[in-house]
Amino acid sequence: MTTPNTSLVAPAAPAATETPVDPEQHWLDHVWRKGEKQLTVRAVIAGMFIGGVMCLSNLYVFFKTGWSLGVTLTACILAFALFEFFRAARLTSSEFTILENNAMGSVASAAGYMTGGGNMAAFGALLMVTSARPSPYWMMLWFGIIAAMGVFAAIPIKRQLINQEGLAFPTGTATAATLRSMHDAIHHEGAAGAEAKTGNGKDQAKLLGLASLAAAVLTFLREAKAPWMPFNLPAAFALPFELAGRAAKDWTITLKSELVQVGAGALMSFRTGWSLLLSSLLGYAVLAPSLVGKGLVKEVTYPAIVGWTLWPGAAILVASGLTSFALDYKSVVRSFRGLSGLFSRNASAAREPIADVECPDWWFPAGFAVLAPIVVVLMAFLFHIPVWAGLIAMPLAVFMGFIAARVTGETDVTPTKALGPVTQAVFGILTPGNLAGNVMSANVTGGIGLHAADLLTDLKSGWLLGASPRQQFKAQLFGVVAGALVVVPAFWILVPDPSVLGSDEWPAPSCLVWAGVSKAFANGLGGLPSGATTAMAIGIALGVTLALLERFAPKNLRPYIPSPAGLGIALVIPASNAIAMFLGALIAEIVRRVRPALGERATIPLASGFIAGESLMGIIVKALALAGVLQK
């Protein structure tokens, strides 16, 4: 299991030879910043504003590329710069603290990622496969309620995934390092505590700044298409070999000039990195040519290939996730036991100290008790999904949310592209012929999964920085409101005529995939590609086996067991992405082995800078293009 480096933000845990210490008690004693201001009014306002702006940018990028850009890191950097400007201009006298910035990031991420989790993929697909055009007001409520359910779904698994297992959540780790570097370098707060092991905070900030600048320049030279630009860097570099008579790039096997995936790979475990590469090469260099040769895949394109490989990939993810979830059943049992808190305000004398800091266990079932009936009613009213089918969707969505959170913790990739089709398959059987219901039921799964994973990513930052989980939970709900209010009106501004989705102007690849899966499942499992059922059975067996090995194999053998999350994700992303993430993980591992001190000091700020610099410049370039400053 991946264990992140927390030396930037907390004293080192006791050595293995000492008496084991409960990680939660260690956090309470050494990391938690009790009483510091966090979710202030200005943090909420800044987060809602920045998150709303980034939601607009992500919406544009999503319909052009099918991807949403990083939100939290970029938002924290923007907020830091904004409030430093306010201080320099004497518009404010008080410092914008590191925990305020962290809380602001939770608000902004919830708003900015309203485009993800299948929200816009489902909305676009709905308009492509049906003539339905729900009222914008109903859709704002729909997206907001689903996102809020995802926030509540994170509560029962937070302590298991973050406090106990210490999953990496690479973006959350990067955000904590970024915040610490910025605030320590400017205000010199707490730098002495980390200096002994990780170096001066200014050095960390310089590494972060240089990496951000390099990534930003590279992104501008690649993405800015202005007539005055003397040249543009290629988005990818072709590899000089062929597979089955076709160039390697046709099978998505290329070297990208993007640093976001390299940075994310450097922050994940090497085990996950090599698992991504292994599965990707098997999927695109071995399996895909065989499928094309047998006529099971009709053309050599990413959408065509992934239309088949997503089924075994999804099977691995679902089977391993459910197996891990079953092995961690105590976390959910504890959450439902906490329901008694609704009826009794008297805390137990034996209550754990961490319980006064964490979100109360009963918030999860109470939140779902309030929100789930609203979603079921909206499913029936807006998309004609039978109430009984809507009731089935609720526990299915929660299970998928738990799976998405665990995969995100290991790989930094939320697998909505894999888990959405699973829900579509279920509803293709339950309600055959209901295209709208098929798409939007998967939206429930994707939305809950994304926002559960998003909050846990933010909570990882808070865990490393000593923030209050309850404050971050509330911050996410503020962001959900902002995102829901922005995303639907913005969609109609950018795409006033949905018939252009799938065109050269608005390719909308994710919408095309969701629409295609919906049509495939219009009459149940008969719409699955030929051979996919057998592949899914193999994927299920592999996922269960690997999850069991992760838990019960001797510790010295676990680094050599392929990561089921890495194997599954690699089958639903282009091979170029998996290659880039592997290279990041490989470079970080080599540095850690050859020069451990340098790896300890430099890996996180450099990787964080790559992610922050590219995502920030990507948004700037897209915004300038939309404004007509750069050629579109």
Side-chain angles (χ1 to χ4, degrees):
M1 197 62 63
T2 304
T3 303
N5 170 18
T6 61
S7 58
L8 287 174
V9 292
T17 56
E18 299 178 13
T19 303
V21 174
D22 179 4
E24 294 184 332
Q25 188 61 52
H26 181 266
W27 183 84
L28 285 171
D29 294 339
H30 300 286
V31 184
W32 183 33
R33 301 186 179 202
K34 183 178 181 180
E36 290 194 22
K37 63 180 181 179
Q38 300 182 40
L39 191 61
T40 59
V41 172
R42 64 181 182 176
V44 172
I45 294 174
M48 294 179 79
F49 174 76
I50 294 174
V53 171
M54 297 184 72
C55 182
L56 291 172
S57 299
N58 266 346
L59 191 66
Y60 178 85
V61 175
F62 175 81
F63 285 115
K64 288 290 188 180
T65 68
W67 291 91
S68 293
L69 297 173
V71 173
T72 309
L73 273 169
T74 307
C76 290
I77 294 172
L78 287 173
F80 180 80
L82 178 66
F83 281 97
E84 281 302 305
F85 171 78
F86 286 164
R87 289 186 70 189
R90 299 184 184 279
L91 297 176
T92 181
S93 58
S94 61
E95 173 198 346
F96 188 63
T97 69
I98 190 171
L99 293 190
E100 278 187 290
N101 204 342
N102 181 66
M104 183 286 312
S106 294
V107 179
S109 66
Y113 265 135
M114 193 61 71
T115 60
N119 282 351
M120 289 300 101
F123 195 20
L126 174 71
L127 299 171
M128 294 172 71
V129 301
T130 74
S131 58
R133 183 167 173 162
S135 162
Y137 303 107
W138 285 118
M139 292 309 298
M140 284 189 280
L141 178 62
W142 170 262
F143 291 135
I145 294 294
I146 289 173
M149 290 181 70
V151 173
F152 280 98
I155 293 175
I157 50 176
K158 185 266 182 181
R159 290 180 62 183
Q160 178 65 32
L161 300 188
I162 295 177
N163 301 17
Q164 299 295 335
E165 294 187 32
L167 293 190
F169 287 96
T171 293
T173 301
T175 300
T178 301
L179 287 170
R180 191 64 178 219
S181 295
M182 291 189 303
H183 287 265
D184 280 357
I186 299 299
H187 305 295
H188 308 288
E189 289 184 359
E195 186 173 347
K197 191 172 182 180
T198 65
N200 188 278
K202 286 187 177 181
D203 294 336
Q204 301 285 332
K206 288 178 182 178
L207 288 173
L208 175 70
L210 290 173
S212 298
L213 179 62
V217 171
L218 181 67
T219 303
F220 186 82
L221 293 176
R222 184 183 66 244
E223 301 294 338
K225 308 295 184 181
W228 47 266
M229 289 283 292
F231 68 93
N232 286 110
L233 292 176
F237 298 94
L239 297 175
F241 63 87
E242 295 184 349
L243 293 170
R246 301 291 296 266
K249 66 180 180 61
D250 294 340
W251 307 97
T252 76
I253 302 174
T254 64
L255 293 177
K256 283 191 171 182
S257 60
E258 300 174 356
L259 293 178
V260 165
Q261 285 94 350
V262 175
L267 293 172
M268 65 178 61
S269 70
F270 183 59
R271 170 176 170 251
T272 301
W274 66 254
S275 298
L276 281 165
L277 181 68
L278 173 65
S279 181
S280 183
L281 293 180
L282 289 175
Y284 288 94
V286 179
L287 179 60
S290 174
L291 293 171
V292 172
K294 295 177 181 178
L296 299 179
V297 172
K298 303 301 181 183
E299 56 185 16
V300 185
T301 63
Y302 167 65
I305 294 171
V306 82
W308 198 97
T309 61
L310 70 84
W311 301 112
I316 294 172
L317 294 172
V318 172
S320 62
L322 288 177
T323 302
S324 298
F325 175 74
L327 295 173
D328 296 333
Y329 69 93
K330 291 182 180 179
S331 60
V332 175
V333 171
R334 183 174 61 244
S335 72
F336 280 96
R337 285 177 178 171
L339 188 60
S340 60
L342 284 171
F343 309 105
S344 175
R345 295 181 179 271
N346 296 322
S348 168
R351 182 170 177 159
E352 300 170 286
I354 197 76
D356 292 326
V357 180
E358 296 286 353
C359 295
D361 292 332
W362 63 265
W363 282 11
F364 164 59
F368 267 74
V370 173
L371 298 176
I374 299 175
V375 172
V376 172
V377 170
L378 289 176
M379 292 174 80
F381 173 64
L382 296 176
F383 311 116
H384 308 292
I385 300 173
V387 171
W388 60 266
L391 292 173
I392 293 175
M394 292 301 99
L396 178 63
V398 173
F399 278 114
M400 295 301 186
F402 292 167
I403 295 166
R406 179 171 289 279
V407 173
T408 303
E410 287 196 29
T411 69
D412 210 35
V413 178
T414 304
T416 51
K417 290 183 179 179
L419 300 183
V422 174
T423 310
Q424 288 183 280
V426 172
F427 278 82
I429 298 171
L430 296 178
T431 58
N434 184 352
L435 295 179
N438 187 284
V439 170
M440 301 313 290
S441 62
N443 182 200
V444 174
T445 297
I448 288 177
L450 177 89
H451 284 276
D454 184 45
L455 175 56
L456 286 165
T457 298
D458 291 339
L459 288 171
K460 178 67 175 185
S461 303
W463 173 260
L464 295 174
L465 294 173
S468 164
R470 298 188 187 194
Q471 297 294 319
Q472 290 188 267
F473 173 86
K474 296 171 184 176
Q476 282 263 322
L477 293 180
F478 279 113
V480 163
V481 173
L485 293 176
V486 168
V487 71
V488 177
F491 171 86
W492 290 115
I493 292 172
L494 289 178
V495 190
D497 181 6
S499 66
V500 303
L501 294 176
S503 67
D504 291 338
E505 180 184 5
W506 296 105
S510 294
C511 299
L512 289 173
V513 170
W514 280 57
V517 172
S518 175
K519 292 176 181 177
F521 282 130
N523 296 306
L525 288 176
L528 277 175
S530 178
T533 303
T534 301
M536 288 175 67
I538 295 173
I540 290 171
L542 183 60
V544 171
T545 300
L546 291 175
L548 292 173
L549 287 174
E550 278 186 328
R551 179 58 62 91
F552 300 112
K555 289 186 178 180
N556 62 322
L557 296 180
R558 291 179 192 177
Y560 306 101
I561 299 171
S563 161
L567 295 183
I569 283 294
L571 294 176
V572 295
I573 60 174
S576 54
N577 288 19
I579 293 171
M581 287 189 279
F582 165 74
L583 289 175
L586 176 63
I587 293 170
E589 181 70 8
I590 291 174
V591 173
R592 281 193 292 264
R593 288 177 179 268
V594 176
R595 299 189 61 182
L598 178 63
E600 183 84 6
R601 182 173 65 253
T603 299
I604 291 179
L606 285 174
S608 302
F610 289 154
I611 296 171
E614 182 160 325
S615 62
L616 181 59
M617 183 55 69
I619 290 174
I620 292 172
V621 169
K622 296 300 181 182
L624 291 175
L626 185 62
V629 177
L630 297 175
Q631 181 180 342
K632 298 181 181 179

